[in-house]
C-alpha cells in the first residue's frame, strides 16, 4: 500500500497531523481527524479511493499491510474552506479501544505525526480561519461548566469580540491615514483637524466603556461568595446546605473550622465559588488566629459576602443572613434561613443570583480578561495623549502606538509565548 507523502520538515506546521478528537474510548463512535497536505493520500491509502467531498461515505479501511482496521464513515474536506484551512479528513470509527489504537498506529506507520494539544486550532489561527479572540473563546467553551460561561464563550468563539476589535482597528487605520495625508500635504506647518480629534475621543470613550464592564475572570473563575460570622453561627451548616454535600465539618465546638474551605457551584447558571471561613473572634490559639486572619482576607476580597451577624447596611456586596431560623428569631434586616429545615434557602439562592448577575457581563456583552484590559488601557492612553497633542507628527506616532497595542490583541505582534500557553489548554484533537 502506498505511503502518504508527509516529508519531515523543520517547520512542524507543514506536516500532516492526526489525533483522536472525540472522547476517550470505549464509546459508540470515535472520531479521528487528519489535517495537512497528505490528508488526501492518507484517505486513499486507507480506503482505496477518495470519497466525494463533504459527504459522509461508508468504507472499509485497511492499514498499509492490507489488514482490515474497521468499517468506517469517512469525510473528505478539501481546503482551504475547512476548520484548519488545510485539507482535512475525518474517520468515524467504532469506538472500541482496540479499533482506535490500531487506526492511530496505522496513521503513524504511514508517516503522519500525532498532533500536539491545540495544534488543529493553532493552524486555524495561522491560516486565517479563526482570529485570536475566537480561539480564546473556543478554549473557554471547552472549559465551560455553567450556562453563563457557555453563553459568553460562544459569543467569543462566534467572533463578537473579534469583530469589535476589528472595527476599532479600522477606525484607527482611517484616522492614521487621514493624518498622514495632512502631514504629506502640509509639510512642516502641521495641525490636526478637529474632526480627527473628535473621532479619537469617541473611540477612546467606547474603549473606556468596554473597560468598565465586569472582568472575564469573574465569569471564568467564578464569583467568590464568602460566608462570615462568629464561631458556632451556623456557617458550615449553611455552606453544606448550599453546596448540597457534607463538605465542611459541623460541630458545636467553637473554632472547628480553622481554614477557608472552597467548593464550586452553579446558581441560576452562574459560576460561584462558595467559601466557608473560620469564626471571627480574638483567639489565643495561634492556628485558629491564622484561620481568622484568612477569613478576614477572604471577606475583603469577596465579590459577595453572606454575613451571619450583621444587618448588611452600608455595603452593596453583603447579604445579611439570620441562620438557625428554626430555633432563633431572625434579627432585623436579615434573611431568615434554616439549613436544617430548608427554610429560606431558595430565597437566599435568589438573592445570591440577583447580586451576582450585577457582577457579571450582561446579555450580549463580551467580558474582557486581563490581557485585553491591559492592552486596551494602553490604546486608550495613546488616544487621549493624541487628542491633547498639537503637532500632527506626535499625533500620528501616538495613533501608531495605539494600533500596535490593538494589533497584539487581534493576533499581530510577538504573541508566541501567549499562544503556547493558550493552546496548552486544548486537547490533542482540537
Amino acid at each position: 500500500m502506498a505511503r502518504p507523502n508527509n516529508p519531515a520538515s523543520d517547520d512542524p506546521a507543514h506536516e500532516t497531523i492526526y489525533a483522536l478528537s472525540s472522547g476517550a474510548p470505549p464509546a459508540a463512535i470515535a472520531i479521528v481527524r487528519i489535517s495537512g497536505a497528505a490528508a488526501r493520500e492518507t484517505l486513499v491509502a486507507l480506503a482505496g479511493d477518495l470519497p466525494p467531498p463533504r459527504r459522509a461515505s461508508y468504507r472499509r479501511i485497511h492499514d498499509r499491510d492490507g489488514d482490515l482496521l474497521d468499517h468506517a464513515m469517512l469525510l473528505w474536506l478539501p481546503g482551504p474552506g475547512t476548520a484548519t484551512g488545510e485539507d482535512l479528513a475525518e474517520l468515524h470509527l467504532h469506538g472500541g479501544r482496540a479499533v482506535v489504537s490500531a487506526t492511530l498506529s496505522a496513521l503513524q506507520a504511514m508517516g503522519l505525526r500525532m498532533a500536539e494539544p491545540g495544534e488543529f486550532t493553532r493552524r486555524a489561527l495561522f491560516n486565517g480561519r479563526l482570529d485570536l479572540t475566537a480561539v480564546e473563546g473556543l478554549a473557554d467553551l471547552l472549559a465551560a461548566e455553567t450556562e453563563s460561561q457557555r453563553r459568553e464563550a460562544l459569543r467569543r468563539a462566534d467572533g463578537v469580540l473579534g469583530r469589535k476589535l476589528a472595527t476599532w482597528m479600522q477606525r484607527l487605520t482611517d484616522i492614521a491615514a487621514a493624518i498622514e495625508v495632512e502631514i504629506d500635504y502640509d509639510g512642516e506647518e502641521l495641525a490636526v483637524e478637529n474632526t480627527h480629534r473628535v473621532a479619537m475621543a469617541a473611540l477612546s470613550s467606547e474603549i473606556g466603556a468596554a473597560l468598565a464592564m465586569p472582568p472575564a475572570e469573574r465569569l471564568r473563575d467564578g464569583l467568590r461568595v464568602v460566608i462570615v460570622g462568629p464561631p458556632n453561627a451556623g456557617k458550615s451548616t449553611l455552606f453544606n446546605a448550599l453546596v448540597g454535600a457534607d463538605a465542611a465539618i459541623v460541630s458545636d465546638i467553637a473554632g472547628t473550622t480553622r481554614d477557608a474551605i472552597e467548593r464550586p457551584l452553579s446558581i441560576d447558571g452562574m459560576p460561584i465559588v462558595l467559601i466557608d471561613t473560620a469564626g471571627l473572634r480574638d483567639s489565643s490559639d495561634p492556628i485558629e488566629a491564622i484561620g481568622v486572619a484568612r477569613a478576614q482576607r477572604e471577606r475583603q476580597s469577596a465579590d459577595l459576602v453572606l454575613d451571619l451577624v450583621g444587618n448588611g447596611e452600608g455595603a452593596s456586596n453583603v447579604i445579611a443572613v439570620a441562620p438557625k431560623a428554626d430555633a432563633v428569631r431572625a434579627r432585623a434586616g436579615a434573611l431568615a434561613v434554616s439549613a436544617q429545615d430548608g427554610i429560606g434557602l431558595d430565597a437566599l439562592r435568589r438573592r445570591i443570583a440577583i447580586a451576582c448577575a450585577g457582577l457579571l457581563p450582561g446579555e450580549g456583552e463580551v467580558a474582557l480578561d486581563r490581557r485585553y484590559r491591559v492592552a486596551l488601557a494602553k490604546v486608550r492612553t495613546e488616544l487621549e495623549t493624541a487628542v491633547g497633542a498639537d503637532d500632527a507628527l506626535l499625533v500620528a506616532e501616538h495613533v501608531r502606538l495605539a494600533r500596535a497595542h490593538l494589533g497584539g490583541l487581534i493576533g499581530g505582534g510577538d504573541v508566541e509565548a501567549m499562544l503556547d500557553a493558550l493552546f496548552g489548554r486544548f486537547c490533542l484533537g482540537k
Side-chain angles (χ1 to χ4, degrees):
M1 181 174 293
R3 177 188 179 99
N5 182 25
N6 188 33
S9 170
D10 292 336
D11 182 4
H14 291 161
E15 296 178 323
T16 299
I17 57 174
Y18 68 92
L20 177 67
S21 291
S22 53
I29 296 174
I31 300 175
V32 174
R33 303 176 84 191
I34 303 168
S35 182
R40 173 194 292 264
E41 296 175 63
T42 300
L43 272 188
V44 172
L46 287 169
D49 66 350
L50 190 68
R54 293 177 171 79
R55 182 184 301 173
S57 304
Y58 167 79
R59 293 290 189 279
R60 295 160 59 93
I61 60 173
H62 301 78
D63 65 16
R64 60 186 301 185
D65 296 324
D67 292 332
L68 180 66
L69 292 170
D70 194 19
H71 300 251
M73 297 297 293
L74 307 185
L75 280 174
W76 162 236
L77 307 168
T82 64
T84 61
E86 304 174 326
D87 286 350
L88 187 69
E90 288 188 359
L91 315 178
H92 292 233
L93 311 166
H94 291 95
R97 291 189 179 93
V99 172
V100 172
S101 177
T103 302
L104 297 181
S105 296
L107 294 175
Q108 182 181 29
M110 291 178 179
L112 277 62
R113 175 174 61 80
M114 176 76 81
E116 296 179 357
E119 190 168 1
F120 287 90
T121 309
R122 183 188 286 266
R123 293 188 176 195
L125 173 66
F126 290 152
N127 291 328
R129 300 298 297 173
L130 295 173
D131 66 18
L132 190 53
T133 63
V135 171
E136 290 173 322
L138 184 56
D140 289 342
L141 184 61
L142 295 175
E145 296 181 349
T146 68
E147 180 62 16
S148 58
Q149 289 173 333
R150 182 191 67 83
R151 290 197 302 265
E152 167 68 14
L154 274 176
R155 285 195 290 269
R156 274 196 165 194
D158 284 345
V160 173
L161 179 56
R163 288 190 292 273
K164 181 183 289 290
L165 295 177
T167 298
W168 287 345
M169 177 63 84
Q170 186 59 55
R171 288 165 64 180
L172 270 176
T173 301
D174 292 343
I175 292 169
I179 293 173
E180 291 294 338
V181 168
E182 290 184 4
I183 292 174
D184 292 340
Y185 181 77
D186 292 336
E188 296 300 323
E189 299 297 328
L190 302 177
V192 179
E193 289 188 7
N194 188 55
T195 54
H196 303 331
R197 296 187 191 279
V198 171
M200 289 186 290
L203 181 53
S204 176
S205 178
E206 287 185 29
I207 293 174
L211 290 171
M213 289 195 305
E217 287 81 3
R218 286 180 179 171
L219 190 58
R220 183 176 298 124
D221 302 332
L223 292 159
R224 298 183 72 79
V225 178
V226 179
I227 304 174
V228 299
N232 283 346
K235 299 184 300 300
S236 296
T237 302
L238 178 61
F239 177 85
N240 289 342
L242 288 173
V243 301
D246 291 332
I249 298 174
V250 177
S251 170
D252 292 333
I253 301 173
T256 297
T257 301
R258 298 293 185 96
D259 202 355
I261 301 173
E262 299 184 1
R263 287 293 185 277
L265 69 151
S266 174
I267 296 181
D268 277 8
M270 289 178 287
I272 288 170
V273 178
L274 188 65
I275 304 165
D276 185 22
T277 60
L280 298 176
R281 68 171 179 176
D282 294 330
S283 176
S284 59
D285 184 330
I287 302 301
E288 185 181 0
I290 293 173
V292 172
R294 289 183 177 178
Q296 292 170 336
R297 289 197 296 270
E298 289 288 355
R299 176 170 188 161
Q300 292 170 359
S301 62
D303 295 303
L304 183 65
V305 175
L306 306 184
D307 189 348
L308 273 58
V309 67
N311 58 17
E313 292 184 358
S316 60
N317 70 329
V318 175
I319 298 176
V321 179
K324 304 180 180 180
D326 56 315
V328 180
R329 184 175 180 178
R331 63 189 184 278
L335 177 64
V337 172
S338 170
Q340 295 289 350
D341 297 344
I343 298 172
L345 284 176
D346 288 341
L348 177 57
R349 291 188 182 96
R350 287 193 297 270
R351 290 277 297 276
I352 293 173
I354 292 171
C356 289
L359 300 173
L360 294 175
E363 188 68 31
E365 295 177 338
V366 178
L368 302 174
D369 57 28
R370 185 177 183 277
R371 187 175 77 89
Y372 285 85
R373 294 197 304 274
V374 169
L376 288 175
K378 293 178 180 178
V379 173
R380 193 181 186 205
T381 296
E382 296 296 344
L383 286 173
E384 290 174 343
T385 305
V387 170
D390 294 326
D391 191 305
L393 289 174
L394 288 176
V395 173
E397 175 62 12
H398 287 298
V399 171
R400 184 191 68 79
L401 291 172
R403 293 179 67 239
H405 293 310
L406 191 55
L409 291 178
I410 298 173
D414 184 13
V415 293
E416 279 301 317
M418 185 278 298
L419 289 177
D420 288 340
L422 171 63
F423 290 118
R425 297 166 56 190
F426 285 75
C427 59
L428 294 181
K430 201 66 181 177

